[in-house]
Amino acid sequence: MRGGIGEQEFLDDLYITRESLISHGDEAIANGDLKDLIRLVETFGFFLCHLDLRQESTRHTRACSELFAKQTTPIDYESLSEKERMAVLTGALNQVALQPGDSGHGSSLITDTLSAETRQTLEVFSVMAKMRHEISAQAFGCYVISMTHAASHVMEVMWLAHQCGLVGYKDSGWFCDIRISPLFETINDLAHVEQVLTELLDNPVYAELLKVSGHYQEVMLGYSDSCKDGGILASSWYLYEAQKKIIAITAERNIECRLFHGRGGTAGRGGGPTHESILAQPSSTVFGQIKFTEQGEVLSYRYSNTETAVYELSMGITGLLKASRHLITRPAREGGDGSSNAESNNSEIMAQLAHAGEGAYRQLTDRTPGFLDYFYEATPVREIGLLNIGSRPSHRNKADRSKSSVRAIAWVFGWAQSRHTLPAWFGLGTALATWRAGNPKRLVQLRALYRNWPFFRAMLSNTQMALSKADMSIAREYAALCNDPDTCERVYAIIRDEYEKTVQEILDIAELSSLLEENPALALSLKRRNPYLNPLNHIQVTLLKRYRDPELAEHERTIWLDPLLRSINAIAAGMRNTG
């Protein structure tokens, strides 16, 4: 810490004091408040908790392009291939940059000749260097790169950090004061995770930087955008497979790896009971630690009082212990013929289900005429964007009304408000029915998967919860908000039919007479909420009609905005889900 004692020096003094007390027979005093203070410093240092940072890959690419263009020998970085970009970045990292503690921490690079966006991007790294120097070297966790599509996206962040004194040479050796976590979000990115990580980890410069920073790689997995992109079934399976690939790649290179699960509160964003979610992870991918995100309303109802917080943390820790020690029944050991090929057979079944589910989901969301009009008109997604909540806008580009532009939170939030809950289940019914094809033997196989495979059971259990929160009669009222009646009827019919098919398939496979029969506490909770929740939806539909009425003057329309936004908050509280 600048101008004072650092964390380790403070700890060393505390250790000396404790040892001195013990040596003089004052062990009771040494193990009292002093020991508590030592544990606090060991746990929280001078920083309280690690701060993760996150930025989208395109911001880094644009910043690098601008900086390379301003060099003495300009480089047209944007026009380079991936291989050429890696070569340029690797060479640039070998050049001399600022050292840690240099005056300004890279601020001299941030000049008025750069665009405002590039200045802002560089300032983040500059502040990181400053806080590490003034507060604690442990102040930061990982720098997360959203939408990581290529190895160069990680190397770009390394080079930008290099420009601000966080990465480079010191005393004839490398130093690296930043940990980078690539975030793989889309279905395509998850499918190519092996290729990207292999190219990154085999890069000699990156390998050296990783080694000096602890030989430790964190990889973040995006549940939200992969689900929005390809549907819940494809998302769940590609995430499952990606985890196995990531662990295999890092283990082969003797690199410690931690998976960071970017889950939301809803099933459509990877949500669900923490204990079951941890147990559902692939075998040998959890090694005594796991990291995942918790969103606002989840933090509130899980950790707002001591009793529920202790319960949730206990459930998470027991799940972590079981998964780490492999105290879980896995498909290879399940009933049937007991064959060692059982796990690969189940993987083949899931691959086929994922393919069919993704096809059904994309048929609706990407290839059904008028679907996006339905989404924007039959849900309050535009009005959600007016709420003063969240750290990011509802769209990446406000002018772009497309599936790729709308953010996953707004996507799930809108469907939940209108009681469709579509992202959490659409495509699953078609996939199960298509694969089963009326064959009794295949139904037996699916029932065995549900009984014996934590992954499959957790997926269908979370889907049951989402289906129970949906209400097709209320969704029909929202559908009537569409400007084109034909679009309304056509798209709503597709959604309703898939809903009914999904419910029936799950009940058949789980051998239940009703949804949530195996979770009576949750079923009772939803039953008690609905008499209060359903009227709120009817009120919201009325408010949407009035607020969107083009014949009203602007001052008349705004009268309905405040109650409309309040209805969104009220329904979110009743559903216990936003996005």
Side-chain angles (χ1 to χ4, degrees):
M1 182 176 181
R2 180 183 290 174
I5 187 172
E7 291 164 319
Q8 192 55 51
E9 291 87 350
F10 183 42
L11 263 179
D12 290 341
D13 288 347
L14 293 176
Y15 290 148
I16 291 171
T17 303
R18 182 171 182 270
E19 290 168 5
S20 176
L21 287 168
I22 292 173
S23 69
H24 288 84
D26 292 323
E27 188 170 350
I29 297 175
N31 289 327
D33 290 344
L34 176 60
K35 186 176 180 180
D36 290 342
L37 177 59
I38 289 172
R39 294 291 179 262
L40 285 171
V41 178
E42 288 173 337
T43 305
F44 302 111
F46 292 165
F47 58 91
L48 185 62
C49 62
H50 296 298
L51 178 64
D52 282 354
L53 297 97
R54 178 168 166 173
Q55 184 57 272
E56 194 170 358
S57 60
T58 53
R59 286 287 296 268
H60 308 128
T61 302
R62 289 196 292 267
C64 288
S65 297
E66 186 172 350
L67 290 172
F68 279 126
K70 291 182 180 296
Q71 289 187 344
T72 306
T73 305
I75 298 174
D76 184 4
Y77 184 76
E78 292 275 8
S79 68
L80 301 180
S81 66
E82 171 63 12
K83 184 177 180 180
E84 290 170 333
R85 288 185 180 188
M86 286 294 287
V88 166
L89 291 165
T90 300
L93 279 165
N94 275 302
Q95 296 175 5
V96 176
L98 291 173
Q99 301 295 310
D102 280 354
S103 176
H105 298 281
S107 59
S108 60
L109 293 167
I110 308 170
T111 67
D112 291 337
T113 62
L114 298 174
S115 66
E117 182 183 279
T118 297
R119 289 201 306 272
Q120 184 187 58
T121 301
L122 284 170
E123 280 168 358
V124 171
F125 296 99
S126 181
V127 170
M128 284 183 68
K130 184 178 180 181
M131 289 181 67
R132 280 180 53 84
H133 183 60
E134 294 186 353
I135 299 173
S136 169
Q138 304 299 318
F140 294 95
C142 282
Y143 189 107
V144 179
I145 308 172
S146 300
M147 292 294 172
T148 301
H149 306 310
S152 62
H153 287 159
V154 178
M155 294 295 279
E156 286 168 356
V157 173
M158 276 295 185
W159 185 63
L160 293 172
H162 173 271
Q163 299 304 293
C164 295
L166 289 165
V167 175
Y169 280 109
K170 182 181 182 182
D171 301 328
S172 301
W174 286 102
F175 69 88
C176 182
D177 294 331
I178 185 172
R179 285 180 171 175
I180 300 173
S181 179
L183 169 50
F184 298 95
E185 299 182 81
T186 67
I187 294 294
N188 188 55
D189 289 338
L190 290 170
H192 292 93
V193 67
E194 190 172 19
Q195 174 188 333
V196 173
L197 272 186
T198 298
E199 184 175 353
L200 177 66
L201 298 177
D202 288 346
N203 180 279
V205 170
Y206 185 80
E208 285 296 321
L209 293 172
L210 198 64
K211 187 181 297 183
V212 297
S213 64
H215 217 48
Y216 168 89
Q217 180 67 60
E218 181 177 283
V219 178
M220 188 172 182
L221 299 166
Y223 287 67
S224 309
D225 279 282
S226 60
C227 181
K228 186 192 73 165
D229 180 31
I232 188 66
L233 197 49
S235 169
S236 299
W237 183 240
Y238 279 112
L239 283 163
Y240 189 90
E241 288 288 277
Q243 292 178 63
K244 294 194 294 184
K245 293 175 183 176
I246 292 166
I247 295 301
I249 291 167
T250 52
E252 184 182 343
R253 292 158 177 79
N254 296 314
I255 297 170
E256 183 183 354
C257 179
R258 180 173 66 191
L259 297 172
F260 182 5
H261 302 267
R263 309 187 322 149
T266 59
R269 293 187 59 228
T274 302
H275 184 86
E276 287 76 7
S277 296
I278 295 174
L279 296 185
Q281 304 310 309
S283 180
S284 300
T285 60
V286 179
F287 304 99
Q289 59 176 325
I290 194 167
K291 183 176 178 181
F292 50 83
T293 53
E294 295 273 44
Q295 68 181 78
E297 82 269 3
V298 175
L299 287 172
S300 176
Y301 69 72
R302 287 184 179 174
Y303 307 105
S304 57
N305 62 71
T306 303
E307 290 79 7
T308 57
V310 169
Y311 172 79
E312 289 293 338
L313 291 171
S314 298
M315 292 300 288
I317 290 170
T318 55
L320 180 59
L321 289 170
K322 288 180 181 180
S324 299
R325 300 299 298 171
H326 312 298
L327 304 177
I328 313 163
T329 302
R330 293 292 178 182
R333 301 186 181 94
E334 68 185 40
D337 61 4
S339 168
S340 60
N341 294 322
E343 188 167 6
S344 61
N345 291 339
N346 291 328
S347 294
E348 179 59 31
I349 292 172
M350 273 306 306
Q352 293 176 25
L353 290 173
H355 178 73
E358 183 178 2
Y361 180 83
R362 290 192 184 279
Q363 180 62 38
L364 172 70
T365 61
D366 300 342
R367 296 188 285 272
T368 297
F371 171 76
L372 282 173
D373 292 331
Y374 182 96
F375 169 62
Y376 281 97
E377 294 165 11
T379 76
V381 65
R382 289 174 293 178
E383 291 73 19
I384 287 170
L386 301 176
L387 282 167
N388 187 26
I389 59 172
S391 58
R392 290 172 290 173
S394 62
H395 286 67
R396 291 184 170 88
N397 182 350
K398 288 185 178 181
D400 182 8
R401 225 172 72 155
S402 66
K403 194 176 84 170
S404 60
S405 177
V406 63
R407 292 190 183 273
I409 292 176
W411 175 260
V412 173
F413 202 167
W415 289 117
Q417 286 278 307
S418 59
R419 302 297 288 277
H420 289 74
T421 68
L422 179 149
W425 54 264
F426 196 93
L428 182 58
T430 292
L432 292 169
T434 301
W435 189 84
R436 192 153 68 96
N439 186 334
K441 291 183 178 180
R442 290 197 163 189
L443 177 58
V444 171
Q445 285 180 277
L446 292 173
R447 286 176 173 174
L449 288 183
Y450 184 75
R451 286 193 304 270
N452 301 316
W453 193 4
F455 164 77
F456 193 76
R457 186 179 186 88
M459 183 177 67
L460 294 197
S461 295
N462 288 336
T463 304
Q464 285 188 58
M465 178 181 65
L467 290 167
S468 297
K469 290 184 177 184
D471 188 310
M472 287 299 108
S473 62
I474 293 177
R476 180 69 183 81
E477 292 189 34
Y478 281 89
L481 295 171
C482 289
N483 296 326
D484 182 0
D486 292 338
T487 298
C488 160
E489 294 299 331
R490 179 167 41 80
V491 176
Y492 172 76
I494 296 172
I495 296 172
R496 181 201 59 217
D497 292 348
E498 181 68 15
Y499 173 86
E500 293 172 354
K501 184 184 295 183
T502 305
V503 170
Q504 191 57 54
E505 287 296 321
I506 289 178
L507 293 179
D508 286 348
I509 292 167
E511 299 179 86
L512 304 174
S513 58
S514 62
L515 295 173
L516 297 180
E517 185 180 318
E518 296 172 307
N519 192 344
L522 179 56
L524 179 61
S525 176
L526 292 174
K527 183 179 180 181
R528 287 176 172 173
R529 273 184 262 164
N530 282 337
Y532 303 93
L533 182 60
N534 294 350
L536 287 170
N537 283 112
H538 300 309
I539 292 170
Q540 187 179 86
V541 169
T542 300
L543 290 170
L544 284 169
K545 288 178 181 176
R546 294 179 181 178
Y547 179 69
R548 294 176 179 179
D549 187 349
E551 296 183 3
L552 290 180
E554 186 62 26
H555 72 277
E556 292 180 283
R557 289 178 66 251
T558 54
I559 293 173
W560 303 110
L561 180 59
D562 184 63
L564 174 56
L565 298 182
R566 289 177 182 271
S567 76
I568 293 173
N569 282 326
I571 292 171
M575 295 279 283
R576 293 183 76 171
N577 288 130
T578 55

